[in-house]
Amino acid sequence: MRKDATIVSSLFLAAALIVPTVNSWSAEPPPSHKPPPDAVQEVQTQREVARTRPEQQKSQHDNSPFFKESNAELASQAFKNQPDEGRHLGFEFYRDPLNAKKPFTTFEEIYQKDVAAKPKVAEIHQRLLEMRYELRPRLSPDVKMTRGKPIAIGPTARLPQGTTWEKLSAMSPVQIRSANLFPYPPLPHPNNANGGQVFPRMQIDMFPRLQRFDIDFDLPEAFLPEFPPAMFLQNRPELGDVSRGEVVSINNFYRLFKDILTPVQLNGLQFLLTPLPQEEFNPTDDRKTAQPVLGVACLDCHINGHTTGQFHQSPDFRPWERRFRLDTVSLRGMFNQQIHGSKRSLRSVEDFTEFEFRTAYFNGDPIHAMKKGFPIIDRIHVSHMAQMQNMFDFPPAPKLDPSGRLDRRLATQQEITGEEIFNGKGRCANCHPAPFYLDHMMHDLKLERFTREPGDGPIKAFTLRGIKESPPYLHDGRCFTLEDTVKFFDLVLGLRLNQQEQDNLVAFLRVL
C-alpha cells in the first residue's frame, strides 16, 4: 500500500510539473510592443492579391489612354471652329486640385513638387524657430502633468543682444514696435500657402493616416501636452483618469466606456471618433496624404477630449495671407463654456459641433465640403456628440476649494502670493475669474501696438483650469511655457511685474 501511495504521489507531482508546461503551450503569446492595428486604416487599405483568375488580368483596353480627359472625343466636330475648340481650359471644381497653379494639375505633379520642396520649407521654418526660441527644453524636476510628463520651464524666447526683460518692460509699445523688439510675434504656419492641419510625430507614429507629405510638425515634443493625455468625466469624477493610458479611438471606445457612459453618450463618442473628410485628409487629388484617406475624427484633434498641440489655420480670415496659425484647444470643461470657437462666438456646443464638420473642416467654405465628401450629420447625432463633449472635465486641482480659490491650508506661500497677484496687480482675473477661470467673452489685446503685423481682433478667452497641461499657449502657440505667457502679458498689459512676482504667478497657475 505504501508503495502504491508512493507511485500515486509521484504521478500527482509529475502532473503538477506538466500542467504549467501544457498551459504555457496553450496560452496566448506575450503581447507585442507593436501598436494595435488602426481600424480606420484597416478599413481603407486594399490588400494585394495574386491575379490568378482571367477577369483579374489587365487587358490592352484597361491600360489604354482612352480614359484620359485630353483624349475624349468631341461631341460635335463643329467644336473645332469654336473658341478653344470647345474645350474648357479653366479651373473645373471637382477634377482640379484646389489652389493648383494651373488647370489640369495632377495629384502626381503636386505630390512631387511638395515632396521636393519639403526640406527647404522645413529648413526655413527651423531657422525662424531657432532665431526666436531656445529649443532645448528645461524640464521641471517636480511639476508634472497628470500622467507624469514633466512640464517645460521658460522663458524660451530669445531676446536681441543688449536687450533684457527689464529694459523691455520699461519701454512703451511704440518704442518696442519701432525697434521690432517684441519677443512674441505671431507664430506662423510652416507652409501658409498649403496650410491645413498638422499633427505631431508622436501621434502619427500611432496613426500613420495622419501623415502629410508636404510638411511635418515643428515644435519639440517637450513643449507639447502628454500623449496620450489623461481623460476625466464630470459624470464619474471618482474614477479620475479614465483613459487608462490609452488613446481613445474607434478601436477601443466601447471596451473602455460601455460600463461608464450612457448609450446616448456612447453614440456621441462613436461619432466623435469617426473620420470625416477634411481639407487635407480625404480621397481627392488636392489632399496632402500620399494615399486617399477617410479623413480625420473630432477626437483626432481633441484627443481624449484634450489636445496634443495640433495646429491648423483659422478658417475665419481672408485673403489667404491674413490667416493665422490656430492651435487645437482642449475640450475639458466644455460643459460650462458659453461661447465656442476662437473667432466665431458660437452659442452652443451643438452649433459648434455642426459648424466644424460642415465648414471649419474645409477652411470655412461649404463648397469645398461638396467636393471632398459633404458630410451631413442629423441634429439628433449632433446632440449626442455635444452631450459627450459636455462630459469632459478638468484634471483634479486638490489645492482649490469649491469656489475655485486656493485652500490656504494646502497651498504654499508662493502660491498664495501668486493668487493675490492674479486677482490684483496682474489683472488676470479680469478675463479669467474663478471658479472656472474664464469670463465667456472675447477680448482684443491689440497686439498691433507692439508688432508690425495687423493684429487679430477679438479672440475668445479660454479657461485656465488645468493650464499646465495645455502647452503651448495663446491661440497660435507662440508662448511655449507658462513663464513665456506671463512675460507676454506683463509686456502687453504694462504690468511691470518684477521677476519674483512673475515666479509667484507661475506657481499659482500650475495648481489651477
Side-chain angles (χ1 to χ4, degrees):
M1 290 295 293
R2 282 196 293 270
K3 184 177 180 181
D4 291 342
T6 302
I7 293 174
V8 171
S9 299
S10 299
L11 289 174
F12 273 114
L13 178 60
L17 294 172
I18 291 173
V19 168
T21 306
V22 172
N23 285 343
S24 68
W25 293 338
S26 61
E28 294 183 2
S32 169
H33 293 294
K34 186 178 180 181
D38 174 5
V40 175
Q41 190 73 43
E42 291 287 313
V43 78
Q44 60 188 340
T45 302
Q46 182 172 315
R47 304 297 194 275
E48 290 294 331
V49 295
R51 296 180 179 274
T52 58
R53 301 192 306 276
E55 66 272 21
Q56 291 178 290
Q57 309 311 311
K58 287 278 188 178
S59 68
Q60 184 176 353
H61 175 75
D62 296 332
N63 294 317
S64 73
F66 298 156
F67 302 100
K68 292 186 66 175
E69 183 272 342
S70 57
N71 291 329
E73 294 185 13
L74 300 178
S76 170
Q77 291 299 308
F79 290 167
K80 292 182 179 180
N81 299 319
Q82 294 183 5
D84 297 325
E85 296 186 351
R87 297 181 183 275
H88 175 69
L89 300 180
F91 177 82
E92 199 285 316
F93 190 81
Y94 197 87
R95 179 197 61 222
D96 293 328
L98 296 168
N99 302 319
K101 303 298 184 193
K102 59 181 181 179
F104 313 117
T105 304
T106 66
F107 171 76
E108 289 72 22
E109 288 177 290
I110 292 179
Y111 176 83
Q112 292 171 8
K113 176 182 71 70
D114 281 352
V115 169
K118 182 177 178 179
K120 187 65 174 178
V121 169
E123 177 188 351
I124 292 172
H125 190 67
Q126 184 66 22
R127 284 204 305 265
L128 175 71
L129 293 177
E130 291 174 350
M131 179 182 70
R132 291 188 180 183
Y133 300 100
E134 172 55 65
L135 296 176
R136 290 173 297 181
R138 294 181 293 122
L139 303 180
S140 172
D142 50 6
V143 181
K144 295 178 172 57
M145 302 180 197
T146 297
R147 297 197 60 83
K149 180 177 181 177
I151 68 168
I153 301 172
T156 62
R158 292 184 184 274
L159 299 182
Q161 189 171 5
T163 304
T164 66
W165 292 107
E166 290 75 17
K167 289 180 180 179
L168 279 177
S169 181
M171 296 172 69
S172 70
V174 172
Q175 291 173 319
I176 292 175
R177 186 180 188 275
S178 61
N180 199 25
L181 291 177
F182 191 64
Y184 300 105
L187 179 62
H189 194 288
N191 188 341
N192 195 67
N194 287 359
Q197 191 84 32
V198 185
F199 293 87
R201 168 53 53 189
M202 56 193 180
Q203 190 170 352
I204 292 173
D205 288 342
M206 184 173 288
F207 301 103
R209 59 190 168 81
L210 301 176
Q211 175 70 64
R212 292 176 57 155
F213 57 72
D214 59 332
I215 48 177
D216 290 325
F217 196 86
D218 56 345
L219 303 185
E221 185 178 324
F223 298 118
L224 304 180
E226 294 180 305
F227 182 81
M231 182 176 175
F232 304 93
L233 300 176
Q234 55 100 340
N235 59 328
R236 293 296 303 277
E238 79 282 5
L239 294 178
D241 175 16
V242 296
S243 75
R244 284 162 271 184
E246 299 186 42
V247 173
V248 179
S249 71
I250 205 71
N251 301 282
N252 61 18
F253 81 97
Y254 187 78
R255 168 175 57 83
L256 290 174
F257 296 109
K258 62 184 178 181
D259 296 320
I260 296 175
L261 298 176
T262 69
V264 162
Q265 294 159 1
L266 277 172
N267 182 240
L269 182 57
Q270 177 186 354
F271 269 76
L272 291 170
L273 293 166
T274 300
L276 299 171
Q278 188 261 2
E279 190 71 60
E280 294 74 38
F281 300 87
N282 60 73
T284 62
D285 285 344
D286 50 344
R287 66 183 184 270
K288 291 303 179 185
T289 60
Q291 300 297 325
V293 294
L294 296 176
V296 298
C298 299
L299 295 196
D300 280 333
C301 302
H302 303 282
I303 200 153
N304 285 14
H306 190 45
T307 175
T308 54
Q310 312 92 333
F311 63 86
H312 57 296
Q313 289 168 306
S314 170
D316 304 305
F317 282 82
R318 293 299 186 273
W320 201 272
E321 55 270 26
R322 270 293 276 119
R323 302 181 67 186
F324 59 70
R325 175 172 173 153
L326 191 63
D327 264 23
T328 300
V329 300
S330 176
L331 298 183
R332 292 172 174 176
M334 181 73 84
F335 59 89
N336 201 48
Q337 297 183 26
Q338 296 176 12
I339 63 173
H340 308 278
S342 59
K343 297 293 289 183
R344 295 181 296 275
S345 191
L346 297 167
R347 300 304 165 125
S348 72
V349 186
E350 288 81 1
D351 289 342
F352 173 76
T353 301
E354 190 166 12
F355 184 92
E356 284 297 302
F357 67 74
R358 280 191 183 274
T359 63
Y361 264 24
F362 306 99
N363 285 323
D365 187 346
I367 305 302
H368 290 198
M370 296 175 68
K371 173 175 183 176
K372 295 169 181 292
F374 201 71
I376 299 177
I377 300 179
D378 63 81
R379 196 68 176 183
I380 294 174
H381 287 97
V382 166
S383 69
H384 292 182
M385 295 164 74
Q387 184 172 153
M388 184 61 229
Q389 291 173 81
N390 282 329
M391 294 301 109
F392 297 131
D393 204 355
F394 301 111
K399 292 189 178 183
L400 298 185
D401 65 21
S403 69
R405 305 297 296 270
L406 274 182
D407 185 335
R408 301 203 166 203
R409 297 167 299 179
L410 303 176
T412 66
Q413 185 56 52
Q414 185 180 36
E415 293 161 354
I416 293 171
T417 304
E419 182 183 41
E420 293 168 352
I421 295 169
F422 184 94
N423 292 305
K425 184 178 179 181
R427 292 159 49 193
C428 312
N430 291 356
C431 302
H432 300 278
F436 293 101
Y437 293 88
L438 80 162
D439 65 352
H440 309 290
M441 296 181 69
M442 301 176 71
H443 301 273
D444 187 356
L445 296 174
K446 300 190 181 299
L447 296 182
E448 60 271 22
R449 296 175 296 150
F450 296 88
T451 73
R452 297 175 181 179
E453 285 81 16
D456 300 320
I459 290 181
K460 173 191 170 182
F462 292 92
T463 176
L464 298 185
R465 280 283 284 108
I467 193 64
K468 78 175 189 296
E469 305 200 5
S470 299
Y473 303 107
L474 300 188
H475 64 271
D476 56 3
R478 70 181 75 179
C479 295
F480 290 1
T481 67
L482 287 174
E483 288 83 359
D484 287 295
T485 309
V486 169
K487 293 285 189 189
F488 172 90
F489 280 101
D490 184 61
L491 293 174
V492 170
L493 300 181
L495 301 176
R496 306 291 293 270
L497 299 177
N498 62 41
Q499 189 57 55
Q500 185 58 60
E501 290 171 324
Q502 293 182 35
D503 292 343
N504 294 342
L505 185 53
V506 169
F508 174 65
L509 292 173
R510 288 175 173 178
V511 302
L512 289 180

